[in-house]
Structure formats: structure tokens, C-alpha cells
Amino acid sequence: MDLFNFQTPRSIPELIAAKNSANAWLLAGGTDLIPQLKEDRRKAETIIDVKKIAAMTNISAEQDGGLNIGAAVTATTIAQSEIVCASYPALAYSVALIGSRQVQNRASLGGNVCNAAPSADAVPALMSYGALANIEGTKGKRSLMVEEIFTGPGRTVLEQDEVLASITLPALPENTAAVYQRFTPRREMDIAVAGVSSRITLDANSKIVDAKIALASVGPTPLRAKAAEMTLIGEVPSLKLFEAAGAAAASDASPIDDTRGSADYRRHLVSVLCRRTLASATKELIQGDLP
Amino acid sequence: MPSISLTLNGRSVSGEVETKTLLVDYIRENQKLTGTHVGCDTSQCGSCVVHVDGKSVKSCTMLAVQVDGSEVTTIEGLATGEELHPMQEAFRQNHGLQCGFCTPGMVMSAVDLVAGNPDISETEIREGLEGNICRCTGYHNIVKSVQAGAKAMGG
């Protein structure tokens, strides 16, 4: 590892000014960046610790009922947050899958997003909830849907003078539930071979009026399964419907063969996990067995 | 070179450190506290676990400059004089170690894991120790030790 400048800005404008130079990288949890630096897979002239910026380390309720989570908030803080557990349980569950307890004590939500791993555990749940990524830079602020941030493995739309400041989870309508599940050969400390987050909203007649399904580890970026979502809208939950959605999600996926699994196996996993997550989200909303 | 000040095992320490120095190297090389071990060096095995501001972290994946102003506790900081910390005593009584290499990390993780939870279940312990690997595979007695340590600590 080469020597680098180390900076600890106290505000977002200070952070943007520090980042706006060549080979400047943000350090939050460091769970990806530090191993990359150690193995000389990444060169850094400046490392910027974001954990001392108060505006990025808070969880705050929005006036409209949504929730704003600073990009530097740790996975542990999110997993233990009463409001996240009550309103966005799929996110609380997902962040507790990142590495181990000691990693979660350091890892940040913003890092999990900006690292842009197709397998990032917190991302599918954010996408299912329709979360926004709030970006700030020298030219001002912009907000994108979380899925619009990714351009490829490890790559995002963020410019050199821009940082992810926070994530906004919108207020959810009544009768909404989301569930994330992933498949790993080991139960703990592993990277998803495939993961699916399914969110549905039902109307008073138990018809599905909104569905957002997000897939992990089955494409160059986390993906929305739009064909699967379309099969669900306007329908009443049933096992047959969820089988069909699973089949559609498998075609929405564009996986590759690698050491963790073949493309065919990943497609199969997507169809199974999609069906299971939909069934389990429905169980939170409707009593009794699915028709 | 930047200068850092921290509280290490209750004692104020300060000095210059290279930006690239890892926390674990600072603890072992600069402070000569070699109870914190390096196993995988990639955030997986947990033999380097220490507490930063009361929370367990993997010190192979933090920079020393990041603990400027923090309280750091290593395995050497747990005992009070000759008297072992209840979690250390529980590992001793329950044969919670074989070769001992993973033990400092196991104990540090366990102390953080059971805080406020004297009746922690076996499942919670096994899940909570997912980031600590014992290559002797002596998990059975480690779990027994952590359960006994939790009771002795009284949460």
C-alpha cells in the first residue's frame, strides 16, 4: 500500500471539495476499499473518512412519513433502528447479511450502494422500496432512483465532484410488504449466488396494485425484474401467479457463469427465490394459505 | 506524518503514524500489544477483533488514523490486574480454546455480543460469532464459554 493523504471533513461541502481531485476515494466502513488498497488493486492519493460528517451519520424521519438515512450510517445502526425494523423490515434484514457483526459495525449503507457490487445485499431491498439516492456535488444536488446509479460492476454515475449524501425511503402505502432472500452455499459470511427482493402492495380487494422486484448477482448491476412485476399487477395473489412471476423474473435476469454458480443455475434460483419472497410478503398481508 | 491521540486500554497514547498503517499493525508493532492476532488479513477470520468505542471491529480493515480520538480496547485491556474478565474466565473454565490463536478475537467478539443479553441463546451466539473462525473447529466449547461468560457478566 502506498502512502496517501488522509482527510476527515466535517461537512458535505468540505467532503465534496476533498473528493474533487484525482484518485480521491471515500472511506466509510472500509470493508472493500482497504483490502483493495492492501492488494494494490486500487491506487489512492487521497482517502477521505466520511464518518465524522454529522449530516451523513443520521437517520431522520421525513415530514411525509418517509425516512432519510445518511450514507455513512452503519449496517448495525440500521439493523437495530426501531423505525427501520417497523417500516422497512426487508432493509433491516438485508443489512444484517453484510459480512459479520464486526463488519456491520463499520460498513455503511452508502458504501454498500456506491461499491456497486451486483451482489450488494442492501441494494435489492432499497430498490423494492423505491428508494432515492440523494447526490450532492459542486454543481448542486440531484436525486435518482437507487437502480439508476449503477452503470456496471463497481461503476456508478457519480462524477468525481459528487458524493452520495443519503438515501430516502419513501412513505409506503397501506398493505405493502417486502421480503429479501438470497442463496449462499454457506449460511453466513458469503456472497449471494442470487438474491431477490419482492415488494407488493394490495388494494382493498386483495389485488396487487404495485410490485417492485429487484434481483442481485444475476447481471452486471442489481436489476429490476420488470416482466415479473407486470405479471403481478391487477392480479390476486396465488401460488400459480407467483410461479409465473418467478418464470418471468428468471428471464429478466442476465446472469453469467462464474465460480459461484452457472447462469442456468442462477436463473433457476431467481425463479425459486422470487416465488418464495412473493409468498412470504403476501403472508404478511393476508391470513391463511395462498390459493 | 499525521499524529493521532487515542485511549488504548484506558491509557492515553499519542504519536505519529503513517496514513497507511493498519490499526492491527499499530497495535502490534507500535504499541507492542501482540495479543491481537492477524489471521486472514482480509476481514474474514476475526482473530484481529478489538473494540473501538465499545463496538467490535476487525482491526485489519481499519486504518490507525481512523481511531484518532477514539477508545480502543484490546484483549490486554480486559483483565483487571491478575483477575481475568468474566468472559476470559469462562473460556478457561469451559475449555473454550485449543490452540488459542482465534481466542483473543473470540473473546473480544463475545464481550460485545453478549452485552445487555445475559440469557443469550446458542443460536444467537452461533450467529453472532459468524465472523470468527476457529481452525481447530472447537466451536462447541466456545459456545458454552460464551453462554457462561454472558451469565457471569450479568448482561
Side-chain angles (χ1 to χ4, degrees):
Chain A
M1 200 185 330
D2 293 327
L3 280 175
F4 44 78
N5 295 314
F6 182 76
Q7 299 193 24
T8 47
R10 304 288 162 150
S11 69
I12 293 174
E14 278 179 36
L15 167 65
I16 293 165
K19 185 177 177 249
N20 195 13
S21 66
N23 283 329
W25 297 98
L26 300 201
L27 175 62
T31 53
D32 288 290
L33 182 60
I34 290 181
Q36 288 164 3
L37 291 170
K38 280 202 274 193
E39 292 164 18
D40 285 325
R41 283 186 284 131
R42 191 170 294 210
K43 288 273 167 220
E45 280 169 30
T46 305
I47 296 288
I48 309 159
D49 188 346
V50 299
K51 294 236 169 180
K52 302 213 161 111
I53 302 171
M56 286 175 68
T57 50
N58 274 331
I59 299 181
S60 56
E62 301 270 282
Q63 282 183 341
D64 66 357
L67 194 66
N68 195 269
I69 303 180
V73 175
T74 65
T76 298
T77 304
I78 294 169
Q80 293 175 350
S81 152
E82 277 177 32
I83 184 160
V84 175
C85 291
S87 305
Y88 306 97
L91 179 63
Y93 172 81
S94 300
V95 293
L97 295 171
I98 299 171
S100 62
R101 180 184 178 89
Q102 304 88 352
V103 170
Q104 290 154 24
N105 281 340
R106 297 294 306 166
S108 69
L109 184 61
N112 199 242
V113 172
C114 291
N115 198 46
S119 58
D121 281 313
V123 170
L126 291 176
M127 287 164 59
S128 286
Y129 286 127
L132 286 174
N134 304 310
I135 297 166
E136 297 190 27
T138 55
K139 290 175 216 69
K141 300 182 183 185
R142 58 179 175 144
S143 292
L144 302 174
M145 300 295 289
V146 164
E147 57 259 48
E148 292 170 341
I149 272 208
F150 310 110
T151 55
R155 291 202 311 273
T156 69
V157 299
L158 287 179
E159 303 284 347
Q160 188 63 47
D161 71 331
E162 284 184 319
V163 299
L164 176 66
S166 68
I167 298 283
T168 301
L169 291 155
L172 297 175
E174 294 275 293
N175 277 326
T176 297
V179 171
Y180 176 66
Q181 287 181 10
R182 65 173 191 174
F183 180 82
T184 52
R186 296 187 303 210
R187 202 176 54 189
E188 310 286 357
M189 292 280 287
D190 210 344
I191 296 170
V193 181
V196 178
S197 177
S198 293
R199 165 266 177 92
I200 52 169
T201 300
L202 304 181
D203 69 8
N205 303 315
S206 293
K207 268 193 186 159
I208 299 171
V209 288
D210 194 3
K212 285 194 174 65
I213 299 175
L215 313 179
S217 285
V218 289
T221 66
L223 302 172
R224 282 277 295 281
K226 300 224 165 148
E229 293 170 5
M230 291 302 291
T231 62
L232 296 168
I233 305 292
E235 304 291 332
V236 172
S238 71
L239 287 175
K240 206 173 150 201
L241 178 68
F242 292 164
E243 293 268 354
S251 62
D252 283 320
S254 60
I256 54 166
D257 295 318
D258 71 10
T259 51
R260 290 203 297 278
S262 67
D264 284 347
Y265 182 49
R266 286 185 150 114
R267 275 205 187 82
H268 173 69
L269 287 174
V270 164
S271 71
V272 173
L273 293 172
C274 184
R275 170 165 55 79
R276 287 184 186 166
T277 49
L278 284 167
S280 130
T282 306
K283 238 186 184 153
E284 290 179 23
L285 302 173
I286 303 177
Q287 307 234 305
D289 289 336
L290 277 173
Chain B
M1 247 194 303
S3 154
I4 60 169
S5 306
L6 61 144
T7 306
L8 179 60
N9 296 334
R11 178 169 70 84
S12 292
V13 296
S14 55
E16 289 193 330
V17 64
E18 284 189 333
T19 52
K20 67 175 184 179
T21 304
L22 298 169
L23 178 57
V24 68
D25 293 332
Y26 177 78
I27 290 167
R28 288 178 56 86
E29 308 294 332
N30 299 42
Q31 297 296 331
K32 309 292 182 204
L33 295 172
T34 53
T36 303
H37 292 165
V38 181
C40 69
D41 207 14
T42 54
S43 231
Q44 310 200 39
C45 78
S47 64
C48 67
V49 172
V50 300
H51 295 179
V52 173
D53 297 324
K55 287 203 151 104
S56 57
V57 301
K58 295 189 171 180
S59 60
C60 76
T61 315
M62 275 187 79
L63 301 171
V65 285
Q66 285 180 281
V67 300
D68 184 27
S70 291
E71 271 185 38
V72 176
T73 307
T74 69
I75 189 74
E76 290 91 344
L78 284 189
T80 312
E82 292 295 300
E83 195 189 329
L84 293 178
H85 183 280
M87 188 60 77
Q88 290 174 304
E89 187 57 36
F91 270 69
R92 196 166 84 110
Q93 293 297 332
N94 292 280
H95 308 285
L97 59 145
Q98 291 174 37
C99 83
F101 191 86
C102 70
T103 313
M106 285 286 179
V107 172
M108 295 309 287
S109 293
V111 169
D112 178 28
L113 177 65
V114 307
N117 194 359
D119 298 316
I120 189 165
S121 70
E122 178 182 342
T123 310
E124 286 175 291
I125 293 170
R126 286 185 182 274
E127 278 182 16
L129 291 180
E130 65 185 312
N132 292 80
I133 295 169
C134 168
R135 215 52 301 173
C136 306
T137 70
Y139 295 106
H140 182 79
N141 283 357
I142 291 171
V143 173
K144 261 173 63 181
S145 305
V146 177
Q147 231 156 358
K151 282 221 159 55
M153 281 168 64

